[in-house]
Amino acid sequence: MRDVGSKLTDFRAGVTAVDCDYVRPKLAASHLVVDGGRAAFVDTGTTHSVPNLLAALAARGIWRGDVDWVLTTHVHLDHAGGAGALMRELPNARCAVHPRGARHLAEPSKLIAGSIAVYGEKRFSDLYGEIVPVDESRIFIVGDGTRIRLGARELEMIHTPGHALHHYCIVDRANEMVFSGDTFGISYRDFDVEGRAFIFPTTTPVHFDPEALCRSVDRLMSYRPRSIFLTHYAEVTDLERLSREMKERVLAYADLGARCRDAADRADKLRRGMFAMMASWLDAHGFPRDDGERHRLLDDDIELNCQGIENWLDRT
Ligand SMILES: [Zn+2]
């Protein structure tokens, strides 16, 4: 059997983070949630991630037929690119998706074209491989407040625009936890300092909306969770501080965008400004590594974030 030991991290209440092996270790997680012998995946990574997800089931003694749900928080390809390939392996699962995302999963050509525009053809195929459509009859459309069963637990889906219009988060009230996809930003474990997490927003094209994103963060916090599970990467606690910093940083991004709006070298100015801003936050956080390491860990996100902010500037 494939050795997945190092790729699984167990948390409370039957939650396991599975490393999707996307770009680098511990960059993207799929969360396996098990309750009373039934299972769900929250986000899937890419088609390349599917073997890790299946190995996680085997490692936890779950039969593929006992997976009831594949929950895709939104259809960005690092979250749902593997949904079609995964669904082929799970005979009884339904794939839950926001109404705006459903057609993209059933017919992914527009999604593929959009991602090639962001990444270029070569990088796209390295990152995502083949995108398998999800059989339309197995798609479950999620409304705001839709509740589903997983074993003995109830999961509530709530719409959370701001990162993407078609984004929903999953609330487990009884276990005081939320699965946030990209709505609660990014917190790579590489940046932990003495157990304290570092957080920043992700503003990937083409739906960034700073005010909506801050409202969505407040909405997640209104459930008073003890843990939030981020796709990038896994559990964070200390949520009062992190939610405050998230909202401050969303506004700081928007502010930076506004200051660069009319610059002749807008794209460069924005990217330099964002790195400088992130570096100052990392300094305040006590992160000891130098600029080389910071660029290695942040440059992909800075590029995506700046593309999203430029798209927002052009829309508003
Ligand atoms: Zn996303």
Side-chain angles (χ1 to χ4, degrees), residues 21 23 31 59 63 88 97 110 136 203 216 233 238 260-261:
D21 281 337
V23 180
H31 287 97
W63 177 54
R88 280 201 304 216
V97 63
K110 198 172 162 197
E136 212 154 350
T203 62
S216 289
Y233 185 96
D238 197 6
C260 296
R261 183 190 287 271

Side-chain angles (χ1 to χ4, degrees), residues 122-194:
K122 165 80 174 80
R123 184 107 201 275
F124 174 85
S125 99
D126 290 347
L127 286 174
Y128 303 114
E130 186 202 357
I131 309 290
V132 178
V134 178
D135 184 345
E136 212 154 350
S137 67
R138 302 180 68 195
I139 289 179
F140 176 84
I141 304 281
V142 167
D144 187 33
T146 296
R147 290 166 191 222
I148 63 166
R149 281 257 143 226
L150 177 71
R153 79 175 77 185
E154 186 177 69
L155 301 175
E156 183 175 345
M157 317 289 168
I158 57 168
H159 286 179
T160 56
H163 170 80
L165 276 172
H166 63 272
H167 198 298
Y168 68 88
C169 292
I170 297 130
V171 180
D172 179 344
R173 289 183 195 242
N175 291 299
E176 301 174 288
M177 56 176 64
V178 169
F179 297 87
S180 64
D182 281 346
T183 297
F184 205 73
I186 288 176
S187 178
Y188 297 133
R189 305 279 60 82
D190 308 79
F191 292 123
D192 286 355
V193 175
E194 291 164 4

Side-chain angles (χ1 to χ4, degrees), residues 73-79 163-164 166-167 181-182 202 204-205 232:
T73 58
H74 62 304
V75 301
H76 290 165
L77 290 174
D78 51 330
H79 297 257
H163 170 80
H166 63 272
H167 198 298
D182 281 346
T202 163
T204 314
H232 317 283

